[in-house]
Amino acid sequence: MTRTTQGGAIGSALYRALWRWHFFAGLICAPIVILLAVTGSIYLFKDEINDRLHRDLRIVAPQGTERLAPSALVAKALDAHPGTLKGYAPPEAPDRAAGVQILGADGLKDTVYVDPYSGRVLGSLWDGGAAGSPSMYVVRKLHSLKYAGWFAERIVEGVAGWMVLMTASGIYLWWPRNRSGAQKGGVVTVRGRPGTRLFWRDLHAVTGIFVSVFIVFLAMTGLPWSGYWGKTFYNVAYAVGMGMPDGYWDKYPVSTVPLKDTVDRAPWIVENQPTPLSTTAAGVPATLDEVVRTLDGLGMAPGYAVVVPGRPDGVFTASVYPDDITRERVVHLDQYSGKVLFDMQLKDLGLFGRLAEWGVSIHMGQAFGLANQLVLLASLVAMVGLVVSGLAMWWKRRPAGSLGAPRLPAGTAAPWGLVAITVAAGLFFPMVGISMLAFAAIEAAAYGMRALRTA
């Protein structure tokens, strides 16, 4: 075989192998990608949706008078909704209600909304945490598949990794090869009449190339929340000194409770760090009014919430995750003296920590306001379009009674380049690696069955 022929055979084998894996990955991941895109599109606008659905609870008429003290608002909430005080959120703006988190006798935690000017209790909702409402809580849990347990979360993690690989393989398959004249279509323009296979093929390719950067960004910035990849990245960032710096807890004792179990939402890079303990476990606790004055004096960004200690050696914990990510902050105060024990801001994090926090903020549509939301919404709609066009293209070309998967050239060994890419991708995305091994085993078994039938 000549060098040219060998190169053509290898190129053909690589092209068709990537096409085959791209096909199967897309087909299998399609339902999860649609779920992620739809729930993500909704959650981008959670604040706007919450304000529309619960305007009577969240919005108040601004008054010229001073707002009542936090302790007075809490007292009003407890009168209307008896239970144990768990947290307090000062009004974020002059037209916003205060939020009081109360654990009821039924074991459920509710947020009671109070007019900060009159002290009138506006109503309550089951506490949805960072989602802000029960409906957005459901959307958030569906987005991560946490409803279905840890195994489903690993599936989402695997799909995120496959989204990166499908984007890379899609670019390779799209890349123009010796095209001229009429063949130039399908690179940046869509050919064919709507509904034809050529139309769906070009729509899939052109859409994919325009949103490829956003797909990779969303997948990579979503992975820090994943169970295995996220934990590994966290540990690596900490080990190389680019995550959460050492020394923040050296001066005070700490509990075994991670920050994520204390506050509704913690910066990702510190959510697994322990919560400090008060230096004493006796005396007269600081009042909520004193704590709020201290936090306001520290310059906490509006929208922060305070978690009230539930044990004698616990601490007051305040956290805020505003649209301006540079004002992200977590503060712990001694329960009795009100002294600041821990104050973490974005500037205190290492490089990986800051990059992760910026990525998470943009991923959630916060960092750049409405423009951030609209760009991501367009990207997510395009992702749904990619799935639909890919499925339509496959259905159009699928032979009757057959799956219609791309076939590998007969008698051609897998290119070493593909093997190297597969190993590297499997190591970087472990859940993808596991799925690759499973798929390879199925492929080998199917090949063996075909060989037996034709022997």
Side-chain angles (χ1 to χ4, degrees):
M1 183 180 289
T2 65
R3 185 183 301 273
T4 302
T5 304
Q6 288 176 336
I10 292 173
S12 175
L14 178 60
Y15 184 93
R16 295 189 71 85
L18 286 176
W19 183 16
R20 184 174 175 83
W21 282 60
H22 185 90
F23 167 82
F24 277 113
L27 198 61
I28 294 170
C29 293
I32 303 298
V33 172
I34 290 178
L35 175 67
L36 293 175
V38 172
T39 54
S41 298
I42 296 171
Y43 202 76
L44 279 173
F45 299 91
K46 68 177 179 65
D47 292 334
E48 292 83 354
I49 293 172
N50 285 335
D51 284 347
R52 178 62 64 89
L53 293 178
H54 308 293
R55 183 177 182 82
D56 56 330
L57 300 179
R58 297 165 63 92
I59 308 297
V60 300
Q63 303 293 324
T65 59
E66 279 201 28
R67 296 185 296 204
L68 299 176
S71 57
L73 299 177
V74 168
K76 294 286 189 181
L78 287 170
D79 284 342
H81 197 296
T84 303
L85 176 64
K86 302 299 290 184
Y88 172 74
E92 186 174 354
D95 64 343
R96 293 285 168 166
V100 182
Q101 292 180 328
I102 297 174
L103 182 66
D106 55 3
L108 298 178
K109 186 168 67 173
D110 295 324
T111 297
V112 179
Y113 296 89
V114 186
D115 187 316
Y117 302 102
S118 66
R120 183 171 66 90
V121 174
L122 305 174
S124 65
L125 284 175
W126 175 78
D127 181 55
S133 72
S135 55
M136 288 299 103
Y137 177 88
V138 171
V139 172
R140 179 171 181 159
K141 292 299 181 182
L142 286 173
H143 188 68
S144 62
L145 278 185
K146 286 188 176 180
Y147 274 129
W150 70 270
F151 183 74
E153 287 186 74
R154 297 296 189 272
I155 291 177
V156 171
E157 180 178 336
V159 169
W162 272 114
M163 286 168 63
V164 176
L165 299 185
M166 282 192 289
T167 300
S169 60
I171 292 173
Y172 177 84
L173 297 172
W174 162 89
W175 194 264
R177 291 172 178 81
N178 301 320
R179 294 190 182 185
S180 61
Q183 292 182 324
K184 288 184 178 179
V187 177
V188 293
T189 58
V190 178
R191 302 166 294 178
R193 291 179 293 102
T196 63
R197 177 178 173 271
L198 180 62
F199 169 82
W200 289 116
R201 181 266 171 207
D202 284 4
L203 182 63
H204 185 79
V206 173
T207 302
I209 202 64
F210 278 115
V211 299
S212 58
V213 172
F214 300 101
I215 293 174
V216 172
F217 173 81
L218 287 169
M220 293 304 299
T221 53
L223 278 170
W225 282 303
S226 64
Y228 186 86
W229 196 96
K231 183 179 180 180
T232 302
F233 176 66
Y234 180 94
N235 291 335
V236 170
Y238 186 81
V240 299
M242 293 187 180
M244 186 66 205
D246 287 320
Y248 275 88
W249 296 271
D250 291 350
K251 297 180 181 179
Y252 307 104
V254 296
S255 70
T256 58
V257 180
L259 183 61
K260 65 182 179 182
D261 291 344
T262 302
V263 298
D264 286 338
R265 180 178 178 186
W268 171 81
I269 202 67
V270 296
E271 65 179 10
N272 291 312
Q273 296 296 338
T275 303
L277 298 174
S278 291
T279 52
T280 62
V284 179
T287 66
L288 183 60
D289 295 346
E290 293 170 336
V291 169
V292 170
R293 277 197 298 270
T294 298
L295 295 169
D296 288 340
L298 291 173
M300 289 285 286
Y304 72 85
V306 182
V307 176
V308 176
R311 42 189 283 181
D313 58 355
V315 295
F316 287 97
T317 298
S319 62
V320 63
Y321 202 94
D323 290 349
D324 181 358
I325 192 63
T326 61
R327 301 190 70 185
E328 170 186 293
R329 200 167 184 180
V330 176
V331 178
H332 296 291
L333 295 90
D334 187 280
Q335 180 177 172
Y336 303 97
S337 67
K339 176 183 177 182
V340 175
L341 304 177
F342 171 90
D343 186 351
M344 190 284 296
Q345 302 179 55
L346 184 71
K347 64 182 181 181
D348 299 317
L349 302 178
L351 176 61
F352 287 172
R354 292 195 300 273
L355 288 176
E357 292 305 306
W358 269 103
V360 168
S361 181
I362 298 173
H363 183 104
M364 298 187 68
Q366 292 185 200
F368 302 110
L370 181 61
N372 194 162
Q373 293 171 297
L374 293 178
V375 168
L376 291 187
L377 176 63
S379 302
L380 293 169
V381 171
M383 284 172 59
V384 174
L386 277 172
V387 174
V388 172
S389 59
L391 292 174
M393 176 176 57
W394 161 63
W395 194 258
K396 288 285 185 180
R397 69 176 292 275
R398 181 184 66 91
S402 171
L403 184 62
R407 292 185 178 275
L408 297 175
T412 305
W416 281 107
L418 178 61
V419 174
I421 292 171
T422 301
V423 172
L427 291 174
F428 191 76
F429 300 114
M431 297 303 114
V432 171
I434 293 173
S435 63
M436 282 179 171
L437 291 174
F439 181 71
I442 295 172
E443 286 273 80
Y447 178 81
M449 292 295 293
R450 286 195 299 269
L452 285 175
R453 285 197 298 266
T454 57

